[in-house]
């Protein structure tokens, strides 16, 4: 009974039917293409935009009392007094501070980690507000804070280099990658007003989005193929077509392979839209070959599909399929290093992490997209694990279909 | 229940060597937990016949069909289908057409797409496929709906399409589990003519139904109860075996009084809804009866298959 020959014609017949069904299902198509976009935007902005509890270091080497006092009054800031700029730098690198303000006489240096546009904007705004009374005296006017903020964000989104690495050329109405410091300098002139220098400790880079983007790509594809496959296979069973297949020349591997083929088209569509959003809108780099990235995503999606086919055997209704989400999807969301490094996961949970396909796809996608890795570099262990997972789940799925014979 | 000709597992008659059997089942056993769904069931189905399985809900008809289709792991007994023992039945799969009690259709595809899918599974392609599809849709009277979405069909239409899909590969053995549920009488008639035609061309059709008029059209009728074959034979045989005779319904002035006088003469009588019913033993006594009660009206009722089964299963444990 094991290992019947796979007839490619019948595989195509099944694939064609699956495609026809999905094609007609507008809502699912919409979900497949738009949900990842929505999710990425949600993750991209909401998760990195933590407004309360900004850890701000203050290195006070004298001068600018007004600024120092103002910063202390801002509720959102948890201030940490530090002895030197290098201390501040170190803490930012370690991720313990979001930024630091170094006050040294006439010079104000703002150190930022740049992981979130909101935090950057909020620190810069308050620094400006702290200096305003001075400016007010000098210029007799207020400046347009909003416009300046946009500049910062534009610089971040555009991703075209370090923003305002030092005091830019003076001038009003500056735009593009000239930072706030430059604008302030322009307003104040070289007189009594302090010079504000903005420094990004990690460059403009969105550390969060860069590492999360590739991993979320895998998560999204895995989730959708898993759920759609589980429900489709459940329907085959409840509507009686599975029984008909078993009295037809169609073998179980042919059926699962047909589904794989039909679904791969939609997985491709989905990974393409997600990839576009991640790369174009969020500026996550694509150092390696997009084809390799597609390959990894498809392999992962195939694993999700056969896992769904396998688990559908344990569900009696679609409602019960949905109950698999907390069991199958959530652990992968939490434990597979999508959001935070595996090392930060408690040691006793790490063995689970290393058994999850998403752990390996995240690693592989990061390697390809951020470091430009080729297939040979992600072969061990990532691709090997993903292939192994797929083969195992494929076998389990076809074996379970046999259980239908009761 | 020991009348001659009644088939029970232990008295399974020897096979007729001249006969070509599509299904031979002997002593089939299948339990679901404590429930014995097939309890020593023996059946033999000659090639080219229409065989009707009757029996109350839960009597094991679907279970038997699933066993024949190779979808059941039997607890015991021998089963061979189209000459192959059932454990290797996958070799004959392409020659079986199985219509499940579920409809096995994809509601989001059109009728044509559903049929193309099943045709594809059997490797039927090109013009042969298109011809077959239009021929079958014609038969089930759905040709006008070919490009409609299947989910939008009415219940009976759904059933008809399911039948058409089952017939797509022109199977030698048709397993039809209640194929006419919800189908209107005119189409049912068409179906049965089609089945008869298939049987004439050598196909074997195993069909389950709860409709006696359909059973009457079959060559062989098997009556199942609690996983056993209670009675089997042609509809006429079964009526004869059940010892059924025509019933004379008489409208008389005083049914009770007439009933007791006829009963005194040794006749089997009953009063149903104010009408006197007499079972006719021999036609010679007809005149005597009529003269005795002077009915205002009368009707002679031939026994039905339903009566036969009621009779046959009297005393049989349900
Ligand atoms: N997979 C199963 N698991 C448990 N019990 C089952 C299973 N399949 C059938 N049965 C039981 O076996 C008995 C026979 O069922 P079956 O479906 O063969 O009846 P049937 O004669 O086809 O009835 P109907 O006329 O309602 O279609 C029923 O009591 C049913 O509950
Ligand atoms: Mg049934």
């Amino acid at each position: 009974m094991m290992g019947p020959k796979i007839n490619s014609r019948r595989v195509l017949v099944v694939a064609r039917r699956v495609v026809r069904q999905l094609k007609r299902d507008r809502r699912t198509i919409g979900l497949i293409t738009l949900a990842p976009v929505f999710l990425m935007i949600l993750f991209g902005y909401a998760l990195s935009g933590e407004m309360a509890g900004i850890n701000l270091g203050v290195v006070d080497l004298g001068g600018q009392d007004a600024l120092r006092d103002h910063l202390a009054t801002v509720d959102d800031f948890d201030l940490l007094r530090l002895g030197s700029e290098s201390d501040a730098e170190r803490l930012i690198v370690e991720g313990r501070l979001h930024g630091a303000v170094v006050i040294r006489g006439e010079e104000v240096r703002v150190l930022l980690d740049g992981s979130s546009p909101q935090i950057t904007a909020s620190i810069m705004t308050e620094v400006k507000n702290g200096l305003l009374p001075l400016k007010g005296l000098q210029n007799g006017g207020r400046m347009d804070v909003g416009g300046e903020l946009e500049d910062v964000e534009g610089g971040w989104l555009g991703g075209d280099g370090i923003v305002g690495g030092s005091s830019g050329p003076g001038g009003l109405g500056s735009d593009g990658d000239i930072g706030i410091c430059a604008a302030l300098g322009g307003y104040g002139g070289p007189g009594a007003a302090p010079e504000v220098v903005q420094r990004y400790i990690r460059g403009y880079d969105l550390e969060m989005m860069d590492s999360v983007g590739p991993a979320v790509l895998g998560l999204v594809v895995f989730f959708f193929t898993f759920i759609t496959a589980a429900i489709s296979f459940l329907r085959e069973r409840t509507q009686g077509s599975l029984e008909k297949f078993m009295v037809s020349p169609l073998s179980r591997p042919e059926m699962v392979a047909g589904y794989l083929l039909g679904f791969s088209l939609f997985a491709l569509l989905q990974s393409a839209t997600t990839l576009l959003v991640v790369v174009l809108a969020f500026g996550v780099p694509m150092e390696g070959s997009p084809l390799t990235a597609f390959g990894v995503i498809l392999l992962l999606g195939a694993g999700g599909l056969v896992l769904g086919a396998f688990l559908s055997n344990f569900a009696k209704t679609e409602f019960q399929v949905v109950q698999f989400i907390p069991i199958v999807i959530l652990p992968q969301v939490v434990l597979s290093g999508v959001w935070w490094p595996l090392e930060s996961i408690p040691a006793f949970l790490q063995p689970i992490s290393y058994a999850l396909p998403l752990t390996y796809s995240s690693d592989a996608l990061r390697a390809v997209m951020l470091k430009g890795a080729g297939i040979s570099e992600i072969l061990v262990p990532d691709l090997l694990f993903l292939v192994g997972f797929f083969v195992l789940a494929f076998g389990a799925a076809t074996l379970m279909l046999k259980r239908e014979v009761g | 229940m020991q009348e001659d000709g009644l088939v029970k597992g232990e008295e399974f008659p020897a096979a007729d060597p001249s006969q070509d059997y599509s299904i031979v089942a002997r002593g089939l056993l299948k339990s679901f937990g404590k429930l014995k769904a097939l309890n020593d069931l023996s059946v033999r189905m000659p090639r080219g016949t229409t065989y009707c399985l009757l029996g109350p809900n839960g009597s094991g008809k679907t279970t038997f069909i699933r066993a024949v289709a190779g979808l059941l792991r039997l607890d015991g007994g021998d089963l061979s289908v189209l000459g192959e023992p059932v454990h290797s039945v996958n070799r004959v799969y392409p020659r079986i057409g199985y219509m499940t009690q579920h409809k096995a259709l994809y509601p989001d595809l059109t009728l044509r797409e559903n049929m193309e899918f099943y045709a594809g599974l059997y490797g039927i392609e090109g013009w042969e496929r298109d011809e077959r599809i239009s021929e079958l849709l014609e038969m089930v009277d759905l040709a006008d709906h070919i490009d409609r979405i299947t989910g939008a069909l009415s219940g009976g239409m759904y059933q008809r399409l399911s039948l058409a899909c089952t017939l797509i590969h022109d199977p030698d053995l048709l397993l039809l589990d209640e194929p006419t549920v919800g189908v209107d009488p005119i189409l049912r008639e068409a179906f049965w003519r089609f089945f008869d035609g298939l049987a004439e061309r050598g196909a074997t059709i195993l069909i389950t139904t709860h409709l006696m008029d359909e059973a009457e059209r079959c060559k062989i009728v098997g009556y199942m109860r609690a996983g056993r074959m209670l009675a089997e034979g042609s509809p006429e045989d079964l009526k004869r075996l059940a010892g059924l005779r025509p019933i004379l319904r008489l409208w008389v002035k005083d049914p009770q009084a007439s009933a007791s006088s006829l009963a005194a003469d040794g006749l089997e009588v009953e009063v149903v809804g104010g009408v006197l019913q007499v079972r006719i033993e021999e036609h010679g006594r007809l005149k005597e009866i009529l003269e005795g009660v002077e009915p205002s009206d009368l009707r002679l009722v031939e026994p039905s298959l339903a009566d036969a089964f009621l009779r046959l299963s009297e005393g049989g444990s349900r």
Side-chain angles (χ1 to χ4, degrees):
Chain A
M1 286 298 281
M2 277 309 291
K5 279 200 216 86
I6 291 205
N7 174 310
S8 56
R9 276 212 182 146
R10 285 197 289 270
V11 172
L12 280 176
V13 166
V14 175
R16 185 152 168 232
R17 195 213 74 216
V18 169
V19 170
R20 277 178 162 174
Q21 279 183 292
L22 282 173
K23 227 170 54 188
R24 200 153 283 143
D25 190 351
R26 293 253 163 71
R27 181 130 69 135
T28 301
I29 298 260
L31 198 72
I32 283 174
T33 48
L34 294 180
V37 178
F38 176 72
L39 275 178
M40 296 312 296
I41 290 172
L42 205 72
F43 292 151
Y45 286 111
L47 283 175
S48 52
E50 192 184 322
M51 289 308 286
I54 295 172
N55 295 316
L56 186 68
V58 177
V59 183
D60 188 1
L61 302 172
Q64 308 299 341
D65 291 351
L67 173 60
R68 199 189 57 222
D69 294 346
H70 174 74
L71 290 178
T73 63
V74 179
D75 287 341
D76 285 346
F77 292 168
D78 289 329
L79 294 190
L80 185 67
R81 301 206 167 268
L82 299 167
S84 72
E85 185 168 341
S86 60
D87 280 351
E89 225 170 290
R90 187 171 48 77
L91 289 174
I92 291 174
V93 170
E94 285 171 8
R96 285 154 69 184
L97 287 179
H98 291 101
V101 179
V102 183
I103 304 167
R104 188 192 290 131
E106 290 307 296
E107 190 191 30
V108 175
R109 296 168 64 82
V110 182
L111 310 184
L112 297 160
D113 83 340
S115 67
S116 145
Q118 281 89 342
I119 292 175
T120 301
S122 147
I123 293 174
M124 288 316 294
T125 310
E126 295 307 337
V127 169
K128 271 184 288 179
N129 289 345
L131 295 169
L132 263 184
L134 272 176
K135 300 251 178 53
L137 284 175
Q138 286 232 325
N139 294 336
R142 303 200 49 160
M143 61 181 191
D144 182 358
V145 174
E148 302 300 8
L149 287 182
E150 261 171 33
D151 281 348
V152 173
E153 229 172 55
W156 164 69
L157 270 180
D160 46 6
I162 293 171
V163 178
S166 64
S167 173
L172 281 166
S174 62
D175 56 58
D177 50 9
I178 297 167
I180 290 166
C181 46
L184 286 175
Y187 269 108
E195 190 186 7
V196 179
V197 179
Q198 194 178 352
R199 247 186 86 201
Y200 282 87
I201 300 301
R202 296 185 191 175
Y204 85 97
D205 252 354
L206 234 201
E207 173 79 7
M208 184 85 173
M209 203 54 196
D210 270 7
S211 79
V212 164
V216 167
L217 203 62
L219 179 65
V220 162
V221 171
F222 187 87
F223 178 80
F224 283 104
T225 47
F226 170 79
I227 282 294
T228 347
I231 289 181
S232 302
F233 275 84
L234 179 84
R235 286 201 183 145
E236 298 277 10
R237 219 170 68 228
T238 52
Q239 79 191 0
S241 36
L242 203 57
E243 283 210 329
K244 283 195 81 135
F245 295 165
M246 281 187 269
V247 196
S248 85
L250 183 72
S251 71
R252 294 178 295 272
E254 283 167 0
M255 177 193 170
V256 179
Y259 261 91
L260 277 171
L261 197 63
F263 268 49
S264 63
L265 231 70
F266 292 89
L268 217 55
L269 180 73
Q270 185 174 47
S271 28
T273 44
T274 320
L275 209 56
L276 277 179
V277 175
V278 168
V279 173
L280 294 185
F282 289 94
V284 173
M286 174 54 88
E287 301 289 343
S289 152
L291 279 182
T292 313
F294 267 133
V296 173
I297 294 169
L298 280 185
L299 188 55
L300 178 74
L305 186 143
V306 286
L307 185 67
F310 170 64
L311 287 179
S312 75
N313 289 288
F314 301 101
K316 290 202 173 63
T317 61
E318 280 152 34
F319 183 63
Q320 289 184 352
V321 169
V322 173
Q323 292 167 0
F324 285 131
I325 295 177
I327 300 168
V328 176
I329 304 295
L330 277 187
Q332 309 221 55
V333 172
V334 178
L335 295 178
S336 64
V338 173
W339 312 107
W340 40 80
L342 280 183
E343 296 76 48
S344 68
I345 291 168
F348 74 98
L349 285 175
Q350 282 192 19
I352 302 177
S353 298
Y354 287 109
L356 301 174
L358 223 59
T359 302
Y360 299 89
S361 72
S362 303
D363 188 55
L365 285 172
R366 278 185 192 128
V368 172
M369 292 175 67
L370 305 181
K371 297 182 201 138
I375 291 181
S376 58
E377 288 146 278
I378 53 171
L379 192 60
V380 182
D382 298 338
L383 289 187
L384 269 183
F385 181 91
L386 290 175
V387 169
F389 176 80
F390 168 75
V391 170
L392 225 78
F394 189 96
T398 52
L399 275 181
M400 280 307 285
L401 290 179
K402 186 182 175 183
R403 217 188 56 151
E404 223 30 50
V405 180
Chain B
M1 220 39 50
Q2 300 302 322
E3 281 128 295
D4 283 347
L6 278 195
V7 176
K8 291 185 76 178
E10 53 272 27
E11 48 198 67
F12 195 46
D16 175 355
S18 67
Q19 194 49 273
D20 181 5
Y21 292 103
S22 291
I23 300 175
V24 180
R26 183 187 274 272
L28 300 188
L29 296 173
K30 177 68 189 180
S31 303
F32 295 108
K34 274 192 187 153
L35 188 125
K36 287 180 175 160
L38 297 180
N39 186 6
D40 195 13
L41 179 74
S42 298
V43 197
R44 212 179 256 130
M45 260 165 238
R47 204 173 86 92
T49 40
T50 43
Y51 188 111
C52 180
L53 267 186
L54 289 172
N57 292 137
S59 54
K61 303 181 297 292
T62 300
T63 307
F64 174 63
I65 287 190
R66 294 187 69 232
V68 172
L71 295 171
L72 208 65
R73 218 169 274 127
L74 288 164
D75 298 337
D78 297 316
L79 177 62
S80 79
V81 174
L82 296 173
E84 301 273 351
V86 96
H87 56 82
S88 66
V89 81
N90 49 339
R91 270 186 279 169
V92 300
Y93 277 164
R95 294 167 59 200
I96 296 181
Y98 174 37
M99 178 170 171
T100 66
Q101 236 169 329
H102 306 283
K103 314 251 158 62
L105 296 171
Y106 298 90
D108 40 5
L109 295 183
T110 65
L111 277 65
R112 185 204 301 277
E113 287 166 347
N114 263 301
M115 294 205 67
E116 281 179 359
F117 171 64
Y118 282 109
L121 292 190
Y122 290 92
I124 305 167
E125 286 164 348
W127 64 267
E128 189 195 348
R129 174 190 70 185
D130 297 340
E131 201 160 87
R132 189 99 187 105
I133 289 175
S134 53
E135 179 193 334
L136 284 169
L137 283 183
E138 203 70 54
M139 195 278 289
V140 297
D141 197 20
L142 287 173
D144 296 343
H145 303 270
I146 185 160
D147 287 317
R148 275 181 76 187
I149 295 289
T150 303
L153 296 182
S154 76
M157 288 170 157
Y158 226 78
Q159 190 80 2
R160 278 145 57 188
L161 180 63
S162 175
L163 177 67
C165 286
T166 304
L167 293 168
I168 189 85
H169 57 296
D170 201 9
D172 293 335
L173 174 61
L174 263 175
L175 309 173
L176 306 175
D177 206 350
E178 302 191 21
T180 57
V181 169
V183 174
D184 65 61
I186 297 168
L187 262 169
R188 277 208 288 141
E189 181 60 32
F191 278 18
W192 277 95
R193 273 205 299 269
F194 189 81
F195 295 156
D196 289 342
L198 287 178
E200 255 160 51
R201 297 204 325 255
T204 310
I205 302 173
L206 170 56
I207 195 165
T208 72
T209 182
H210 290 291
L211 299 171
M212 290 296 165
D213 62 321
E214 294 195 337
E216 299 248 19
R217 296 194 65 141
C218 288
K219 260 213 197 107
I220 308 179
V221 177
Y223 185 72
M224 280 185 75
R225 173 159 283 187
R228 291 168 160 274
M229 190 61 75
L230 220 55
E232 189 188 51
S234 72
E236 291 68 35
D237 282 349
L238 287 174
K239 285 182 220 169
R240 197 170 37 77
L241 282 170
L244 289 191
R245 288 159 290 265
I247 289 171
L248 190 60
R249 286 167 63 84
L250 301 165
W251 278 261
V252 294
K253 274 202 199 82
D254 187 352
Q256 290 303 345
S258 309
S260 29
S261 81
L262 286 177
D265 289 344
L267 286 161
E268 201 179 316
V269 288
E270 215 180 345
V271 180
V272 179
V275 182
L276 184 63
Q277 296 195 355
V278 188
R279 204 172 284 271
I280 309 294
E281 307 276 343
E282 339 158 15
H283 284 73
R285 295 188 71 176
L286 215 54
K287 194 171 165 232
E288 172 198 338
I289 293 168
L290 291 178
E291 280 169 358
V293 296
E294 292 178 347
S296 58
D297 196 2
L298 64 85
R299 200 151 298 153
L300 193 63
V301 183
E302 284 294 327
S304 71
L305 202 54
D307 293 331
F309 287 121
L310 282 177
R311 203 72 192 297
L312 285 170
S313 52
E314 267 165 23
S317 63
R318 181 159 181 165

